[in-house]
Amino acid sequence: MKLQRKNRLRASALGALVVSGALVLTACGSDDNTKASDGTAKASAPAPGDIKCDDAKGKLLASGSSAQKNAVDLWVKAYMAACSGVEVNYKSSSSGEGIVAFNQGTVGFAGSDSALKPEAVEESKKICTGGQGINLPMVGGPIALGFNVAGVDKLNLDATTIANIFNDKIKKWDDEAIKKLNPGVTLPSTPIQHFHRSEDSGTTENLGKYLKAAAPEAWTYEAAKKWPAPGGLGASGSAGVATQVKQVDGSIGYFELSYASAQGIKTVDVNTGAAAPVKASADSASKAIAAAKIAGTGSDLALKLDYTTKAEGAYPIVLVTYEIVCDKGNKAETLPTVKSFLNYTASDAGQKVLSENGYAPIPTEINTKVREVIKSLS
């Protein structure tokens, strides 16, 4: 009897262990299917045939904008799973560093939140034999204003107030200008600590374009990659700014929406003059980006955005990240991989990744032209 009882207990324990192991595996599988490593939602896997590997091979180096990092990480993972023997390595740094690397010929393409300046285009001709660097809009999205103020869950600001916060003229959260925009909200007298990017950044430049256009009397600085205003503290990359805002009570900073989503950071609703303040989202950014016009010529598809839009539901603080390539004169050893990878990112499947992860897909009319230019790269 004792032996039978012991065997029954042993069998029961083994059964429990098997069930426990199955639950652990199921839980891991579930988590892996819904979250990326940075905490953002993972994109659904591309269907077979969505990714055309063509003659892609070897290693492709790229670098630049941290704004598009989360999207590129997902693209790279899907692409490398489909294209055996191909390695795409994107170094997230800043738009400025990406452009420098591109014009030094050390990367196959660069990511930048701002289109190439004329002097950078001229410099690119040394690398792009018989051609020049061009801008291909690939990732759109809102620049979220993340805030961390104890006891405040919802915050409305307009362009002038945002400008005066970041130029160090509004110093406390219970300032009359902020209270006026937030009736019924109890605002503390906590000092405002604003964070900005410490390195040259296209995200900084795009925020500057918005402030210069929407609040020219308050924001007197020209839009530039380098932070121009006094006060505040710098942090490296969008991830660095988001981390500081997450940790510091009374703080505000700017970064792409995916960073706010990943860390659970509350974001400002922007009063544009429309019927209601607009929340940062992929949909509200898409409404603003849809009104963009192509400002580039030939194969260059640089866009002109309307930062002063008052359209209902259109979030005005947006950026478009470009992939910068040579129209002609790309390196023969990496050209097939560049074209193959960018064909995927510009495809319906690639753009779907954006809408699933807090970014805004490039409008169809513009994206159709992007695909045509990619095919013509040589």
Side-chain angles (χ1 to χ4, degrees), residues 113-135:
D113 308 339
S114 295
L116 290 170
K117 296 286 192 295
E119 57 270 23
V121 172
E122 193 62 31
E123 188 177 352
S124 73
K125 293 177 181 179
K126 301 173 185 176
I127 297 299
C128 305
T129 307
Q132 65 180 45
I134 57 171
N135 304 281

PDB file of all heavy atoms in Angstrom, residues 113-135:
ATOM      1  N   ASP A 113      15.245  62.464 -39.641  1.00  0.00           N
ATOM      2  CA  ASP A 113      13.932  63.064 -39.407  1.00  0.00           C
ATOM      3  C   ASP A 113      13.761  64.382 -40.153  1.00  0.00           C
ATOM      4  O   ASP A 113      12.697  64.991 -40.076  1.00  0.00           O
ATOM      5  CB  ASP A 113      13.714  63.336 -37.910  1.00  0.00           C
ATOM      6  CG  ASP A 113      13.982  62.117 -37.062  1.00  0.00           C
ATOM      7  OD1 ASP A 113      13.934  61.015 -37.596  1.00  0.00           O
ATOM      8  OD2 ASP A 113      14.247  62.279 -35.856  1.00  0.00           O
ATOM      9  N   SER A 114      14.801  64.812 -40.827  1.00  0.00           N
ATOM     10  CA  SER A 114      14.731  66.027 -41.634  1.00  0.00           C
ATOM     11  C   SER A 114      15.398  65.749 -42.973  1.00  0.00           C
ATOM     12  O   SER A 114      16.366  64.986 -43.056  1.00  0.00           O
ATOM     13  CB  SER A 114      15.440  67.202 -40.950  1.00  0.00           C
ATOM     14  OG  SER A 114      14.784  67.547 -39.752  1.00  0.00           O
ATOM     15  N   ALA A 115      14.862  66.370 -44.009  1.00  0.00           N
ATOM     16  CA  ALA A 115      15.429  66.192 -45.340  1.00  0.00           C
ATOM     17  C   ALA A 115      16.835  66.778 -45.410  1.00  0.00           C
ATOM     18  O   ALA A 115      17.195  67.676 -44.642  1.00  0.00           O
ATOM     19  CB  ALA A 115      14.531  66.864 -46.382  1.00  0.00           C
ATOM     20  N   LEU A 116      17.634  66.251 -46.306  1.00  0.00           N
ATOM     21  CA  LEU A 116      19.000  66.724 -46.497  1.00  0.00           C
ATOM     22  C   LEU A 116      19.025  68.217 -46.832  1.00  0.00           C
ATOM     23  O   LEU A 116      18.251  68.682 -47.679  1.00  0.00           O
ATOM     24  CB  LEU A 116      19.671  65.959 -47.642  1.00  0.00           C
ATOM     25  CG  LEU A 116      20.003  64.485 -47.406  1.00  0.00           C
ATOM     26  CD1 LEU A 116      20.419  63.829 -48.724  1.00  0.00           C
ATOM     27  CD2 LEU A 116      21.107  64.338 -46.369  1.00  0.00           C
ATOM     28  N   LYS A 117      19.908  68.944 -46.182  1.00  0.00           N
ATOM     29  CA  LYS A 117      20.136  70.344 -46.531  1.00  0.00           C
ATOM     30  C   LYS A 117      20.951  70.402 -47.828  1.00  0.00           C
ATOM     31  O   LYS A 117      21.654  69.448 -48.183  1.00  0.00           O
ATOM     32  CB  LYS A 117      20.894  71.045 -45.406  1.00  0.00           C
ATOM     33  CG  LYS A 117      20.130  71.114 -44.089  1.00  0.00           C
ATOM     34  CD  LYS A 117      19.022  72.127 -44.158  1.00  0.00           C
ATOM     35  CE  LYS A 117      18.430  72.446 -42.783  1.00  0.00           C
ATOM     36  NZ  LYS A 117      17.746  71.323 -42.150  1.00  0.00           N
ATOM     37  N   PRO A 118      20.885  71.531 -48.565  1.00  0.00           N
ATOM     38  CA  PRO A 118      21.618  71.646 -49.831  1.00  0.00           C
ATOM     39  C   PRO A 118      23.104  71.324 -49.707  1.00  0.00           C
ATOM     40  O   PRO A 118      23.673  70.659 -50.586  1.00  0.00           O
ATOM     41  CB  PRO A 118      21.390  73.104 -50.237  1.00  0.00           C
ATOM     42  CG  PRO A 118      20.069  73.453 -49.632  1.00  0.00           C
ATOM     43  CD  PRO A 118      20.029  72.717 -48.325  1.00  0.00           C
ATOM     44  N   GLU A 119      23.735  71.743 -48.611  1.00  0.00           N
ATOM     45  CA  GLU A 119      25.167  71.470 -48.457  1.00  0.00           C
ATOM     46  C   GLU A 119      25.426  69.976 -48.263  1.00  0.00           C
ATOM     47  O   GLU A 119      26.451  69.449 -48.711  1.00  0.00           O
ATOM     48  CB  GLU A 119      25.752  72.272 -47.289  1.00  0.00           C
ATOM     49  CG  GLU A 119      25.090  72.053 -45.951  1.00  0.00           C
ATOM     50  CD  GLU A 119      23.934  73.001 -45.676  1.00  0.00           C
ATOM     51  OE1 GLU A 119      23.341  73.531 -46.646  1.00  0.00           O
ATOM     52  OE2 GLU A 119      23.627  73.202 -44.486  1.00  0.00           O
ATOM     53  N   ALA A 120      24.502  69.279 -47.600  1.00  0.00           N
ATOM     54  CA  ALA A 120      24.653  67.832 -47.419  1.00  0.00           C
ATOM     55  C   ALA A 120      24.441  67.099 -48.735  1.00  0.00           C
ATOM     56  O   ALA A 120      25.107  66.096 -49.017  1.00  0.00           O
ATOM     57  CB  ALA A 120      23.681  67.321 -46.362  1.00  0.00           C
ATOM     58  N   VAL A 121      23.525  67.601 -49.551  1.00  0.00           N
ATOM     59  CA  VAL A 121      23.306  67.006 -50.879  1.00  0.00           C
ATOM     60  C   VAL A 121      24.570  67.161 -51.717  1.00  0.00           C
ATOM     61  O   VAL A 121      25.006  66.219 -52.391  1.00  0.00           O
ATOM     62  CB  VAL A 121      22.110  67.682 -51.592  1.00  0.00           C
ATOM     63  CG1 VAL A 121      22.012  67.192 -53.038  1.00  0.00           C
ATOM     64  CG2 VAL A 121      20.813  67.386 -50.848  1.00  0.00           C
ATOM     65  N   GLU A 122      25.149  68.338 -51.656  1.00  0.00           N
ATOM     66  CA  GLU A 122      26.373  68.592 -52.424  1.00  0.00           C
ATOM     67  C   GLU A 122      27.496  67.662 -51.979  1.00  0.00           C
ATOM     68  O   GLU A 122      28.229  67.106 -52.806  1.00  0.00           O
ATOM     69  CB  GLU A 122      26.790  70.062 -52.259  1.00  0.00           C
ATOM     70  CG  GLU A 122      27.851  70.522 -53.238  1.00  0.00           C
ATOM     71  CD  GLU A 122      27.405  70.454 -54.683  1.00  0.00           C
ATOM     72  OE1 GLU A 122      26.201  70.625 -54.956  1.00  0.00           O
ATOM     73  OE2 GLU A 122      28.273  70.188 -55.552  1.00  0.00           O
ATOM     74  N   GLU A 123      27.614  67.478 -50.668  1.00  0.00           N
ATOM     75  CA  GLU A 123      28.656  66.598 -50.138  1.00  0.00           C
ATOM     76  C   GLU A 123      28.419  65.145 -50.538  1.00  0.00           C
ATOM     77  O   GLU A 123      29.366  64.392 -50.769  1.00  0.00           O
ATOM     78  CB  GLU A 123      28.708  66.722 -48.618  1.00  0.00           C
ATOM     79  CG  GLU A 123      29.891  65.998 -47.982  1.00  0.00           C
ATOM     80  CD  GLU A 123      29.959  66.208 -46.478  1.00  0.00           C
ATOM     81  OE1 GLU A 123      29.182  67.029 -45.954  1.00  0.00           O
ATOM     82  OE2 GLU A 123      30.791  65.538 -45.835  1.00  0.00           O
ATOM     83  N   SER A 124      27.157  64.768 -50.655  1.00  0.00           N
ATOM     84  CA  SER A 124      26.827  63.378 -50.991  1.00  0.00           C
ATOM     85  C   SER A 124      27.291  62.985 -52.391  1.00  0.00           C
ATOM     86  O   SER A 124      27.474  61.805 -52.680  1.00  0.00           O
ATOM     87  CB  SER A 124      25.319  63.150 -50.877  1.00  0.00           C
ATOM     88  OG  SER A 124      24.609  63.766 -51.950  1.00  0.00           O
ATOM     89  N   LYS A 125      27.500  63.965 -53.245  1.00  0.00           N
ATOM     90  CA  LYS A 125      27.910  63.672 -54.618  1.00  0.00           C
ATOM     91  C   LYS A 125      29.300  63.032 -54.676  1.00  0.00           C
ATOM     92  O   LYS A 125      29.639  62.371 -55.662  1.00  0.00           O
ATOM     93  CB  LYS A 125      27.877  64.952 -55.459  1.00  0.00           C
ATOM     94  CG  LYS A 125      26.463  65.502 -55.664  1.00  0.00           C
ATOM     95  CD  LYS A 125      26.464  66.814 -56.443  1.00  0.00           C
ATOM     96  CE  LYS A 125      25.050  67.358 -56.605  1.00  0.00           C
ATOM     97  NZ  LYS A 125      25.021  68.659 -57.336  1.00  0.00           N
ATOM     98  N   LYS A 126      30.079  63.199 -53.607  1.00  0.00           N
ATOM     99  CA  LYS A 126      31.393  62.558 -53.555  1.00  0.00           C
ATOM    100  C   LYS A 126      31.254  61.052 -53.354  1.00  0.00           C
ATOM    101  O   LYS A 126      32.127  60.280 -53.761  1.00  0.00           O
ATOM    102  CB  LYS A 126      32.226  63.154 -52.414  1.00  0.00           C
ATOM    103  CG  LYS A 126      32.464  64.654 -52.523  1.00  0.00           C
ATOM    104  CD  LYS A 126      33.152  65.183 -51.265  1.00  0.00           C
ATOM    105  CE  LYS A 126      33.292  66.698 -51.303  1.00  0.00           C
ATOM    106  NZ  LYS A 126      33.876  67.222 -50.030  1.00  0.00           N
ATOM    107  N   ILE A 127      30.170  60.640 -52.701  1.00  0.00           N
ATOM    108  CA  ILE A 127      29.923  59.234 -52.414  1.00  0.00           C
ATOM    109  C   ILE A 127      29.044  58.599 -53.483  1.00  0.00           C
ATOM    110  O   ILE A 127      29.270  57.452 -53.905  1.00  0.00           O
ATOM    111  CB  ILE A 127      29.257  59.078 -51.025  1.00  0.00           C
ATOM    112  CG1 ILE A 127      30.206  59.576 -49.936  1.00  0.00           C
ATOM    113  CG2 ILE A 127      28.841  57.641 -50.764  1.00  0.00           C
ATOM    114  CD1 ILE A 127      31.519  58.818 -49.857  1.00  0.00           C
ATOM    115  N   CYS A 128      28.037  59.337 -53.930  1.00  0.00           N
ATOM    116  CA  CYS A 128      27.091  58.837 -54.940  1.00  0.00           C
ATOM    117  C   CYS A 128      27.649  59.149 -56.329  1.00  0.00           C
ATOM    118  O   CYS A 128      27.332  60.190 -56.918  1.00  0.00           O
ATOM    119  CB  CYS A 128      25.727  59.483 -54.755  1.00  0.00           C
ATOM    120  SG  CYS A 128      25.027  59.309 -53.098  1.00  0.00           S
ATOM    121  N   THR A 129      28.469  58.274 -56.847  1.00  0.00           N
ATOM    122  CA  THR A 129      29.140  58.510 -58.123  1.00  0.00           C
ATOM    123  C   THR A 129      28.117  58.718 -59.236  1.00  0.00           C
ATOM    124  O   THR A 129      27.317  57.843 -59.540  1.00  0.00           O
ATOM    125  CB  THR A 129      30.038  57.321 -58.486  1.00  0.00           C
ATOM    126  OG1 THR A 129      30.902  57.049 -57.382  1.00  0.00           O
ATOM    127  CG2 THR A 129      30.854  57.637 -59.732  1.00  0.00           C
ATOM    128  N   GLY A 130      28.125  59.911 -59.816  1.00  0.00           N
ATOM    129  CA  GLY A 130      27.189  60.223 -60.898  1.00  0.00           C
ATOM    130  C   GLY A 130      25.796  60.551 -60.413  1.00  0.00           C
ATOM    131  O   GLY A 130      24.893  60.761 -61.225  1.00  0.00           O
ATOM    132  N   GLY A 131      25.613  60.620 -59.105  1.00  0.00           N
ATOM    133  CA  GLY A 131      24.292  60.921 -58.556  1.00  0.00           C
ATOM    134  C   GLY A 131      24.393  61.767 -57.308  1.00  0.00           C
ATOM    135  O   GLY A 131      25.377  62.486 -57.106  1.00  0.00           O
ATOM    136  N   GLN A 132      23.395  61.651 -56.425  1.00  0.00           N
ATOM    137  CA  GLN A 132      23.380  62.418 -55.185  1.00  0.00           C
ATOM    138  C   GLN A 132      22.454  61.761 -54.184  1.00  0.00           C
ATOM    139  O   GLN A 132      21.661  60.885 -54.524  1.00  0.00           O
ATOM    140  CB  GLN A 132      22.898  63.850 -55.434  1.00  0.00           C
ATOM    141  CG  GLN A 132      21.449  63.926 -55.900  1.00  0.00           C
ATOM    142  CD  GLN A 132      20.990  65.346 -56.138  1.00  0.00           C
ATOM    143  OE1 GLN A 132      21.680  66.149 -56.751  1.00  0.00           O
ATOM    144  NE2 GLN A 132      19.795  65.663 -55.647  1.00  0.00           N
ATOM    145  N   GLY A 133      22.548  62.199 -52.935  1.00  0.00           N
ATOM    146  CA  GLY A 133      21.663  61.688 -51.904  1.00  0.00           C
ATOM    147  C   GLY A 133      20.247  62.209 -52.092  1.00  0.00           C
ATOM    148  O   GLY A 133      20.040  63.371 -52.448  1.00  0.00           O
ATOM    149  N   ILE A 134      19.265  61.337 -51.891  1.00  0.00           N
ATOM    150  CA  ILE A 134      17.856  61.728 -52.001  1.00  0.00           C
ATOM    151  C   ILE A 134      17.107  61.272 -50.752  1.00  0.00           C
ATOM    152  O   ILE A 134      17.560  60.414 -50.010  1.00  0.00           O
ATOM    153  CB  ILE A 134      17.181  61.138 -53.256  1.00  0.00           C
ATOM    154  CG1 ILE A 134      17.296  59.607 -53.250  1.00  0.00           C
ATOM    155  CG2 ILE A 134      17.775  61.743 -54.526  1.00  0.00           C
ATOM    156  CD1 ILE A 134      16.468  58.939 -54.346  1.00  0.00           C
ATOM    157  N   ASN A 135      15.941  61.871 -50.543  1.00  0.00           N
ATOM    158  CA  ASN A 135      15.121  61.602 -49.365  1.00  0.00           C
ATOM    159  C   ASN A 135      13.906  60.762 -49.743  1.00  0.00           C
ATOM    160  O   ASN A 135      13.122  61.157 -50.608  1.00  0.00           O
ATOM    161  CB  ASN A 135      14.629  62.919 -48.757  1.00  0.00           C
ATOM    162  CG  ASN A 135      15.760  63.869 -48.425  1.00  0.00           C
ATOM    163  OD1 ASN A 135      16.428  63.731 -47.414  1.00  0.00           O
ATOM    164  ND2 ASN A 135      15.988  64.866 -49.295  1.00  0.00           N
TER     165      ASN A 135
END
